Amino acid sequence: MRVQLESVHRSYRVRRPPTEGGRLARLVRRVSSEVPALHGIDLRIDAGETVGYIGVNGAGKSTTMKLIAGILTPTAGRVTVDGRDPHRDRRRLATELGYLAAQRASLWWDLPVKDSYELIGRVYDIEPAVLRRRQDHLVSRLDIGRHLDTPVRELSLGNRTRAELVGTLLHAPRLLLLDEPTIGLDIFARQAICDVLRETQQDTAPTIVMASHDLRDVEAICDRIVLIDNGRLMHDGKIDELRALGAGRRRLVVQHAPGHQLPAVPGLTRTEARTSTATTYEFAHGELPEELLGTLFSDPQIDDVLIEAPSLEDLVKDLYRRDA
């Protein structure tokens, strides 16, 4: 499914106590104001793309996801999903949409997990044999079989998120919206969820939009990154293109004894020390003097020497600093 946002603005009306007046007036009165969340977002996501929608908390990620799902309407601009207005066509879109939001239950809170899956099958009119096949496969891959008889409210956060993902995928959605799906989860739950999402993308090729501030998950699942900050798009491109921005940079990390003085080398820029026993230099790829490495490796007060390429997280931080 193709998603398109054209010059989309969204603001919220909030009511707050007045900043002036007596104590009683501040207690009783409320002043309304408009708080902008999105400022002229232009974004196109083609069918079958996997897009990581990243930004800090409050950047506008969840608002965008709700607009695409038809939960909210734009204050100005236009949102379409396959050429349709997602708010006006919410019923039709629901049959093709999977929406998983962090720590918000979409399964029935007091029912055992398996009963929720049966209800989902009826809501989406899934053939019993198809429902059973999909359920068995997803339950096995996410390792929640022993929790099928447990009410959703009694599950841990990790197991509840796994169970929610099964419910989200049972009707084989063509558009999958994931709003911070791995927040607060341990490494095993995160890995299981990322594995299933990769398999889903390979098997049925849904359009996936994953809002997150955890770049590890985005890198594992998505091919494209859209960076948003304060309701404005800052970067839109392939992950490989973002990595290419730092292709000429390298970092030399020297682990050494406390207080050990390292040599100053032309062409290497010493950055802020990580700790009292680690010093970091930055240099251009291919410009590290060979004699320096020999000197470092022969120094008895140096424990280790590492050469690192900038991580995806480092590159995103650079984008934030560049536009600050």
Side-chain angles (χ1 to χ4, degrees):
M1 301 184 76
R2 189 183 67 204
V3 176
Q4 189 153 0
L5 286 77
E6 302 172 76
S7 300
V8 171
H9 294 257
R10 172 66 194 190
S11 59
Y12 296 93
R13 180 169 292 277
V14 297
R15 293 172 59 82
R16 297 191 176 104
T19 57
E20 300 178 351
R23 186 176 300 177
L24 180 60
R26 292 197 300 271
L27 179 65
V28 176
R29 291 182 54 209
R30 290 294 182 269
V31 177
S32 295
S33 62
E34 291 284 332
V35 176
L38 298 178
H39 305 269
I41 298 293
D42 287 298
L43 178 64
R44 173 172 173 158
I45 301 171
D46 290 327
E49 276 198 283
T50 54
V51 176
Y53 197 54
I54 63 176
V56 298
N57 291 333
K61 301 188 302 295
S62 294
T63 297
T64 307
M65 302 289 268
K66 291 174 182 176
L67 288 167
I68 296 172
I71 298 171
L72 297 176
T73 57
T75 306
R78 185 169 178 242
V79 181
T80 58
V81 177
D82 270 358
R84 297 176 292 180
D85 184 316
H87 183 72
R88 293 180 181 175
D89 292 329
R90 282 186 67 184
R91 287 193 175 184
R92 278 198 294 173
L93 179 62
T95 63
E96 302 173 304
L97 170 68
Y99 189 2
L100 177 62
Q103 302 184 32
R104 296 175 185 172
S106 59
L107 301 179
W108 285 263
W109 196 242
D110 293 310
L111 291 181
V113 173
K114 66 179 182 182
D115 290 356
S116 286
Y117 294 161
E118 183 178 346
L119 284 172
I120 288 173
R122 294 183 181 182
V123 168
Y124 288 100
D125 195 23
I126 307 172
E127 293 183 10
V130 174
L131 176 66
R132 174 57 61 185
R133 184 174 67 251
R134 290 176 183 168
Q135 178 180 318
D136 289 347
H137 172 71
L138 291 168
V139 165
S140 174
R141 291 294 291 115
L142 288 165
D143 192 25
I144 59 167
R146 62 188 180 278
H147 302 296
L148 291 179
D149 292 314
T150 304
V152 173
R153 57 181 165 77
E154 295 181 9
L155 295 175
S156 66
L157 174 60
N159 287 325
R160 187 167 75 243
T161 304
R162 296 186 204 206
E164 296 276 0
L165 181 58
V166 173
T168 301
L169 297 176
L170 279 177
H171 64 292
R174 295 173 55 214
L175 173 61
L176 192 55
L177 303 178
L178 307 168
D179 191 356
E180 301 281 7
T182 61
I183 191 169
L185 304 187
D186 61 48
I187 187 171
F188 300 106
R190 287 178 55 246
Q191 186 64 52
I193 288 171
C194 288
D195 288 345
V196 167
L197 290 173
R198 277 196 302 268
E199 290 178 7
T200 300
Q201 203 282 327
Q202 292 169 1
D203 293 343
T204 60
T207 304
I208 298 177
V209 185
M210 181 177 181
S212 180
H213 61 263
D214 193 324
L215 287 172
R216 295 169 298 177
D217 298 335
V218 171
E219 192 171 13
I221 296 166
C222 302
D223 299 319
R224 174 182 166 195
I225 280 185
V226 176
L227 177 62
I228 185 172
D229 185 41
N230 290 323
R232 293 181 172 88
L233 295 189
M234 297 173 56
H235 176 82
D236 183 356
K238 298 291 186 182
I239 288 184
D240 290 342
E241 294 172 358
L242 183 57
R243 287 199 188 98
L245 295 177
R249 292 168 39 205
R250 291 294 185 271
R251 192 162 46 200
L252 176 68
V253 182
V254 183
Q255 305 279 351
H256 52 78
H260 183 52
Q261 294 297 315
L262 297 174
V265 183
L268 268 67
T269 303
R270 184 180 300 201
T271 61
E272 185 177 351
R274 294 183 176 182
T275 66
S276 62
T277 60
T279 301
T280 304
Y281 299 88
E282 287 189 352
F283 63 97
H285 183 44
E287 295 185 3
L288 182 64
E290 293 184 7
E291 60 271 18
L292 174 62
L293 292 178
T295 301
L296 294 175
F297 281 121
S298 63
D299 190 332
Q301 295 197 67
I302 291 178
D303 300 319
D304 201 1
V305 178
L306 304 172
I307 298 177
E308 302 175 343
S311 67
L312 188 62
E313 185 172 357
D314 291 331
L315 296 173
V316 169
K317 288 178 180 177
D318 286 347
L319 287 176
Y320 272 111
R321 284 193 288 266
R322 186 183 308 169
D323 293 325

